Amino acid sequence: MFSLQQLLRATATSNGGNDLSRLLRHIGGVTSGATTTLCTAPATKHSSQAKFGDNSSHGSPSHTDGRSHGESESDLESAHGQNFTAHHFARRILQQRSQDIQRHIHTQSAKGQTRAKSSQQNQQQQQTATKFAMSSLAAEPLQSQKPDEITASTGGNVETPALGASCHEVASASASAGKKPCFSSGLGEILQFMELIGNLKHTKRTGWVLRDVNDCESISGHMYRMSMLTFLLDGSEGLNQIRCMELALVHDLAESLVGDITPFCGISKDDKRAMEFKAMEDICKLIEPRGKRIMELFEEYEHGQTAESKFVKDLDRLDMVMQAFEYEKRDNCLLKHQEFFDSTEGKFNHPFVKKLVNEIYEQRDVLAKAKGATPPPAIEVPSMERSSKLVNGHDGSS
């Protein structure tokens, strides 16, 4: 191999030697007396290896193979004899150096972009982020503090939980920072809450049980279809679809403790209401502070003053008449469950729900006429106010 100093001497004797000499000095950063080697060992990543003569190969060894400095100069003269001019060699060195520079620029640019992206992500993570301790309809956003705010409030001894941290990690950090944890109740209470919700999966709706309907629906099945019906809202009605879904999921939750109370159960309307509110208080205490949200939804539905609560009440009645129609078709007893249609007649308010109810009536009438079905005798539904007097030993007469 040849040092840059040797090439400089060689180019001085060739055409344009002065220009090439200056070029090589500029490329290699050579000063007077420098001996920078252009070619390195084959393992070097970005080096270019010169090829001289017929015996040279891509992986030829460096001048450390034992050849003297004089032999290198002799080889250079031989290279001149084989028409490999220093001008040609310098051009190849320049091309290789240009490629090295381009690779270096590209690598530095990529590293710069990576560092900038990483810095931007760190800044976003340090900003205030909204966390949800768990996915549930009762979940309310848990606002995390900025790192400097937490440090200031705790004397710099609390680490900020990372995004996506578990409920317990967030709770521990929040408690140290003076914030409320995810739940004030223990895991045992949460499991008890889950068990109560599970009761709704297996508790049959009382109305169907009293009419000896086989394989009748559960309370949770009733609430689930109501919740799915909220997807029919497209926003043009001015109703909050998510809130309607929440109301549908919560409205019969108390029945996990008190059961499905109907007018045939001999319990007054006021007593039923008191029992259900007490049950809801007990249920919501199990998942405090998140239970407060569920209680608010239950109260909204019971009061029936908001547009969303009125719509969900329509869905409650719609699901009942649809279920009655389904049982009549399944059990081949058309018009048998007329009482469920009678108890809801004239009580629907939302225009779209009314259309759905009318469609059920029309299909039911067509099937009944085709099969020659006739409605059974009307069933008197007890008044829940009168039921209260009967329970207290009075017959309601004055």
Side-chain angles (χ1 to χ4, degrees), residues 286-329:
L286 296 174
I287 55 170
E288 289 296 348
R290 304 307 175 91
K292 179 181 178 182
R293 170 67 174 160
I294 296 181
M295 193 66 187
E296 290 174 351
L297 290 166
F298 178 76
E299 291 175 346
E300 179 181 347
Y301 177 80
E302 287 296 311
H303 294 152
Q305 298 300 313
T306 64
E308 284 78 9
S309 64
K310 292 177 180 178
F311 175 75
V312 174
K313 187 61 181 179
D314 273 359
L315 294 182
D316 185 37
R317 298 184 177 112
L318 170 64
D319 182 71
M320 186 176 69
V321 297
M322 182 65 185
Q323 191 63 67
F325 183 36
E326 289 172 347
Y327 288 148
E328 288 179 344
K329 292 188 294 182

Coordinates of all heavy atoms in Angstrom, one line a residue, residues 286-329:
L286 N -69.6 -0.2 46.8 CA -68.5 -1.2 46.6 C -67.4 -0.7 45.7 O -66.3 -1.3 45.7 CB -69.2 -2.4 46.0 CG -70.2 -3.2 46.9 CD1 -70.9 -4.3 46.1 CD2 -69.5 -3.7 48.2
I287 N -67.7 0.3 44.9 CA -66.7 0.8 43.9 C -66.4 2.3 44.0 O -66.2 2.9 43.0 CB -67.1 0.4 42.5 CG1 -68.4 0.9 42.1 CG2 -67.0 -1.1 42.3 CD1 -68.8 0.7 40.6
E288 N -66.6 2.8 45.2 CA -66.3 4.2 45.4 C -64.8 4.5 45.0 O -63.9 3.7 45.3 CB -66.6 4.6 46.8 CG -68.1 4.7 47.2 CD -68.8 5.7 46.4 OE1 -68.2 6.6 45.7 OE2 -70.1 5.7 46.4
P289 N -64.6 5.7 44.5 CA -65.5 6.8 44.2 C -66.2 6.7 42.9 O -67.0 7.6 42.5 CB -64.6 8.0 44.2 CG -63.3 7.5 43.7 CD -63.2 6.1 44.2
R290 N -66.1 5.6 42.1 CA -66.7 5.5 40.8 C -68.2 5.2 40.9 O -68.9 5.5 39.9 CB -66.0 4.4 40.0 CG -64.5 4.6 39.9 CD -64.1 5.9 39.3 NE -62.7 6.2 39.3 CZ -61.9 5.9 38.3 NH1 -62.4 5.3 37.2 NH2 -60.6 6.1 38.3
G291 N -68.6 4.7 42.0 CA -70.0 4.4 42.1 C -70.9 5.6 42.1 O -72.1 5.5 41.7
K292 N -70.4 6.8 42.4 CA -71.1 8.0 42.3 C -71.7 8.2 40.9 O -72.9 8.7 40.8 CB -70.3 9.2 42.7 CG -71.0 10.5 42.7 CD -70.0 11.6 43.1 CE -70.7 13.0 43.0 NZ -69.8 14.1 43.4
R293 N -70.9 7.9 39.9 CA -71.4 8.1 38.5 C -72.6 7.2 38.2 O -73.6 7.6 37.6 CB -70.2 7.8 37.6 CG -70.6 7.7 36.1 CD -71.0 9.0 35.6 NE -71.2 9.0 34.1 CZ -71.9 9.8 33.4 NH1 -72.5 10.8 34.1 NH2 -72.1 9.7 32.1
I294 N -72.5 6.0 38.7 CA -73.6 5.0 38.4 C -74.9 5.5 39.2 O -76.0 5.4 38.6 CB -73.3 3.6 38.9 CG1 -72.1 3.1 38.1 CG2 -74.4 2.7 38.8 CD1 -71.6 1.7 38.5
M295 N -74.7 6.0 40.4 CA -75.9 6.5 41.1 C -76.6 7.7 40.4 O -77.8 7.8 40.4 CB -75.5 6.9 42.5 CG -76.6 7.1 43.5 SD -77.5 5.5 43.8 CE -78.9 6.1 44.8
E296 N -75.8 8.5 39.9 CA -76.3 9.7 39.2 C -77.1 9.3 38.0 O -78.2 9.8 37.7 CB -75.2 10.6 38.7 CG -74.5 11.4 39.9 CD -73.3 12.1 39.5 OE1 -72.9 12.0 38.3 OE2 -72.7 12.9 40.3
L297 N -76.6 8.3 37.3 CA -77.4 7.8 36.1 C -78.7 7.1 36.5 O -79.7 7.3 35.8 CB -76.5 6.8 35.3 CG -75.3 7.3 34.6 CD1 -74.3 6.2 34.2 CD2 -75.7 8.1 33.4
F298 N -78.6 6.3 37.6 CA -79.9 5.7 38.1 C -80.9 6.7 38.5 O -82.1 6.6 38.1 CB -79.5 4.8 39.2 CG -80.7 4.1 39.8 CD1 -81.3 3.0 39.2 CD2 -81.3 4.5 41.0 CE1 -82.4 2.4 39.7 CE2 -82.4 3.9 41.6 CZ -83.0 2.8 40.9
E299 N -80.5 7.7 39.2 CA -81.4 8.8 39.6 C -82.0 9.5 38.4 O -83.2 9.9 38.4 CB -80.7 9.8 40.5 CG -80.4 9.2 41.9 CD -79.6 10.1 42.7 OE1 -79.0 11.1 42.2 OE2 -79.4 9.9 44.0
E300 N -81.2 9.8 37.4 CA -81.7 10.5 36.2 C -82.7 9.6 35.5 O -83.8 10.2 35.1 CB -80.5 10.7 35.2 CG -80.9 11.4 33.9 CD -79.8 11.6 33.0 OE1 -78.6 11.5 33.4 OE2 -80.0 11.9 31.8
Y301 N -82.5 8.3 35.4 CA -83.5 7.5 34.8 C -84.8 7.4 35.6 O -85.9 7.5 35.0 CB -83.0 6.1 34.6 CG -84.0 5.1 34.0 CD1 -84.2 5.1 32.6 CD2 -84.7 4.2 34.8 CE1 -85.1 4.2 32.1 CE2 -85.6 3.3 34.3 CZ -85.8 3.3 32.9 OH -86.8 2.5 32.4
E302 N -84.7 7.3 36.9 CA -85.9 7.2 37.7 C -86.7 8.5 37.7 O -88.0 8.5 37.7 CB -85.5 6.9 39.2 CG -85.0 5.4 39.3 CD -86.2 4.5 39.1 OE1 -87.3 4.7 39.6 OE2 -86.0 3.5 38.3
H303 N -86.0 9.7 37.7 CA -86.8 10.9 37.6 C -87.4 11.2 36.3 O -88.5 11.8 36.2 CB -85.8 12.1 38.0 CG -85.3 12.0 39.4 ND1 -84.1 12.6 39.8 CD2 -85.9 11.5 40.5 CE1 -83.9 12.4 41.1 NE2 -85.0 11.7 41.5
G304 N -86.8 10.7 35.2 CA -87.4 10.7 33.9 C -87.7 12.1 33.4 O -88.7 12.3 32.6
Q305 N -86.8 13.1 33.7 CA -87.0 14.4 33.2 C -86.2 14.8 32.0 O -86.5 15.7 31.2 CB -86.6 15.4 34.4 CG -87.5 15.2 35.6 CD -89.0 15.5 35.3 OE1 -89.3 16.5 34.7 NE2 -89.8 14.6 35.8
T306 N -85.0 14.2 31.8 CA -84.2 14.5 30.7 C -84.6 13.8 29.4 O -85.3 12.8 29.5 CB -82.7 14.1 30.9 OG1 -82.6 12.7 31.1 CG2 -82.2 14.8 32.2
A307 N -84.2 14.4 28.3 CA -84.6 13.8 27.0 C -84.0 12.4 26.8 O -84.7 11.5 26.3 CB -84.1 14.7 25.8
E308 N -82.8 12.2 27.4 CA -82.2 10.9 27.3 C -82.9 9.8 28.1 O -83.1 8.7 27.7 CB -80.7 11.0 27.7 CG -79.8 11.6 26.7 CD -79.9 13.1 26.7 OE1 -80.5 13.7 27.6 OE2 -79.3 13.7 25.8
S309 N -83.3 10.2 29.3 CA -84.0 9.3 30.2 C -85.4 8.9 29.6 O -85.8 7.7 29.7 CB -84.2 9.8 31.6 OG -85.0 11.0 31.6
K310 N -86.0 9.8 29.0 CA -87.3 9.5 28.4 C -87.2 8.6 27.2 O -88.0 7.7 26.9 CB -88.0 10.8 27.9 CG -88.4 11.7 29.1 CD -89.0 13.0 28.5 CE -89.4 13.9 29.7 NZ -90.0 15.2 29.2
F311 N -86.1 8.8 26.4 CA -85.9 7.9 25.3 C -85.5 6.5 25.7 O -86.0 5.5 25.2 CB -84.7 8.5 24.4 CG -84.3 7.6 23.3 CD1 -85.0 7.5 22.2 CD2 -83.1 6.8 23.4 CE1 -84.6 6.6 21.1 CE2 -82.7 6.0 22.4 CZ -83.5 5.9 21.2
V312 N -84.7 6.4 26.8 CA -84.4 5.0 27.3 C -85.6 4.4 27.9 O -85.7 3.1 27.8 CB -83.2 5.2 28.3 CG1 -83.0 3.8 29.0 CG2 -82.0 5.7 27.7
K313 N -86.5 5.1 28.5 CA -87.8 4.5 29.0 C -88.6 3.9 27.8 O -89.2 2.9 27.9 CB -88.6 5.5 29.7 CG -89.8 5.0 30.4 CD -89.4 3.9 31.4 CE -90.6 3.3 32.1 NZ -90.2 2.2 33.1
D314 N -88.6 4.6 26.7 CA -89.2 4.1 25.5 C -88.5 2.8 25.0 O -89.2 1.9 24.6 CB -89.1 5.2 24.3 CG -90.3 6.2 24.4 OD1 -91.2 6.0 25.2 OD2 -90.3 7.1 23.5
L315 N -87.2 2.8 25.1 CA -86.5 1.6 24.7 C -86.9 0.4 25.7 O -87.0 -0.7 25.2 CB -85.0 1.8 24.7 CG -84.4 2.8 23.7 CD1 -82.9 2.8 23.9 CD2 -84.8 2.4 22.3
D316 N -87.1 0.7 26.9 CA -87.5 -0.3 27.9 C -88.8 -1.0 27.5 O -88.9 -2.2 27.5 CB -87.6 0.4 29.3 CG -87.9 -0.6 30.4 OD1 -87.4 -1.8 30.3 OD2 -88.6 -0.3 31.3
R317 N -89.8 -0.1 27.1 CA -91.1 -0.6 26.7 C -91.0 -1.3 25.4 O -91.6 -2.4 25.1 CB -92.1 0.5 26.7 CG -92.3 1.2 28.0 CD -93.4 2.2 27.9 NE -93.7 2.8 29.2 CZ -93.4 4.1 29.5 NH1 -92.9 4.9 28.6 NH2 -93.7 4.6 30.7
L318 N -90.2 -0.8 24.5 CA -90.0 -1.4 23.1 C -89.5 -2.8 23.2 O -89.9 -3.7 22.5 CB -89.1 -0.5 22.3 CG -88.6 -1.1 20.9 CD1 -89.8 -1.3 20.0 CD2 -87.6 -0.1 20.3
D319 N -88.4 -2.9 24.0 CA -87.8 -4.3 24.2 C -88.8 -5.3 24.7 O -88.8 -6.4 24.3 CB -86.6 -4.2 25.1 CG -85.9 -5.5 25.2 OD1 -85.3 -6.0 24.3 OD2 -86.1 -6.1 26.3
M320 N -89.7 -4.8 25.6 CA -90.7 -5.7 26.2 C -91.7 -6.2 25.2 O -92.0 -7.4 25.1 CB -91.4 -5.1 27.4 CG -92.4 -6.0 28.1 SD -93.2 -5.3 29.6 CE -94.3 -4.1 28.8
V321 N -92.2 -5.3 24.4 CA -93.2 -5.8 23.4 C -92.6 -6.6 22.3 O -93.2 -7.5 21.8 CB -94.0 -4.6 22.8 CG1 -94.8 -3.8 23.9 CG2 -93.1 -3.6 22.1
M322 N -91.3 -6.2 21.9 CA -90.6 -7.0 21.0 C -90.4 -8.5 21.5 O -90.5 -9.4 20.8 CB -89.3 -6.4 20.6 CG -88.5 -7.1 19.5 SD -89.3 -7.1 17.9 CE -88.3 -8.1 17.0
Q323 N -90.0 -8.5 22.8 CA -89.8 -9.9 23.4 C -91.1 -10.7 23.4 O -91.1 -11.9 23.2 CB -89.2 -9.7 24.8 CG -88.7 -11.0 25.4 CD -87.5 -11.5 24.6 OE1 -86.4 -10.9 24.6 NE2 -87.7 -12.7 24.0
A324 N -92.2 -10.0 23.8 CA -93.5 -10.7 23.8 C -93.8 -11.3 22.4 O -94.3 -12.4 22.3 CB -94.6 -9.8 24.3
F325 N -93.6 -10.5 21.4 CA -93.8 -10.9 20.0 C -92.9 -12.1 19.6 O -93.4 -13.1 19.0 CB -93.6 -9.8 19.0 CG -93.9 -10.1 17.6 CD1 -94.9 -10.9 17.2 CD2 -93.1 -9.5 16.6 CE1 -95.2 -11.2 15.9 CE2 -93.4 -9.8 15.3 CZ -94.4 -10.6 14.9
E326 N -91.7 -12.1 20.1 CA -90.7 -13.2 19.8 C -91.2 -14.5 20.5 O -91.1 -15.5 19.9 CB -89.3 -12.8 20.2 CG -88.7 -11.7 19.4 CD -87.4 -11.2 20.0 OE1 -87.1 -11.4 21.2 OE2 -86.6 -10.5 19.3
Y327 N -91.6 -14.4 21.7 CA -92.1 -15.6 22.4 C -93.4 -16.1 21.7 O -93.6 -17.4 21.6 CB -92.4 -15.3 23.8 CG -91.1 -15.1 24.7 CD1 -91.1 -14.2 25.8 CD2 -89.9 -15.7 24.4 CE1 -90.0 -14.0 26.5 CE2 -88.8 -15.5 25.1 CZ -88.8 -14.6 26.2 OH -87.7 -14.4 26.9
E328 N -94.2 -15.3 21.3 CA -95.5 -15.7 20.6 C -95.1 -16.5 19.3 O -95.7 -17.5 19.0 CB -96.4 -14.5 20.3 CG -97.1 -13.9 21.5 CD -97.9 -12.7 21.1 OE1 -97.8 -12.2 20.0 OE2 -98.8 -12.3 22.0
K329 N -94.1 -16.0 18.6 CA -93.7 -16.7 17.3 C -93.0 -18.0 17.7 O -93.2 -19.0 17.0 CB -92.8 -15.7 16.5 CG -93.5 -14.5 15.9 CD -92.7 -13.8 14.9 CE -91.5 -13.1 15.6 NZ -90.7 -12.3 14.7

